[in-house]
Amino acid sequence: ARRSASNAISRLATLEFPKGTWDNLIPILLNASSNDDINFKKTAIMALGFLCIELKQFGIPLKGDVCKPIIESVYLGITDSNN
């Protein structure tokens, strides 16, 4: 279910981002990636990863300076799960 939800979010974002809608998605996912609930956290990190892949595949640039926070979030999520 986590993979399906993450994939659906990233696919919808490829439709919404070019229209300028759903600009709050990345901040929401970044916030969720530090959630205490491990399932919530993993889903958010997975969604961020899929989102980056989808946006790159369709040539859709990310707005603002969100690349660094996304990378940090994914890195912290990986290192936290290894401890």
Side-chain angles (χ1 to χ4, degrees):
R2 182 182 4 241
R3 178 177 288 274
S4 296
S6 298
N7 196 24
I9 289 168
S10 67
R11 292 290 172 126
L12 287 170
T14 62
L15 299 172
E16 298 301 323
F17 275 23
K19 294 188 250 179
T21 57
W22 227 8
D23 287 339
N24 61 342
L25 176 65
I26 292 176
I28 289 169
L29 290 174
L30 288 171
N31 187 42
S33 71
S34 61
N35 194 289
D36 290 336
D37 182 330
I38 191 69
N39 291 313
F40 202 66
K41 182 178 194 171
K42 285 182 177 182
T43 303
I45 292 169
M46 188 178 292
L48 285 167
F50 285 158
L51 179 61
C52 289
I53 291 168
E54 291 286 328
L55 293 177
K56 182 176 180 182
Q57 181 179 356
F58 288 98
I60 302 168
L62 289 171
K63 291 183 179 179
D65 189 25
V66 296
C67 292
K68 184 177 177 183
I70 290 172
I71 292 169
E72 289 172 351
S73 175
V74 172
Y75 174 77
L76 290 173
I78 292 169
T79 56
D80 283 351
S81 66
N82 288 334
N83 292 331

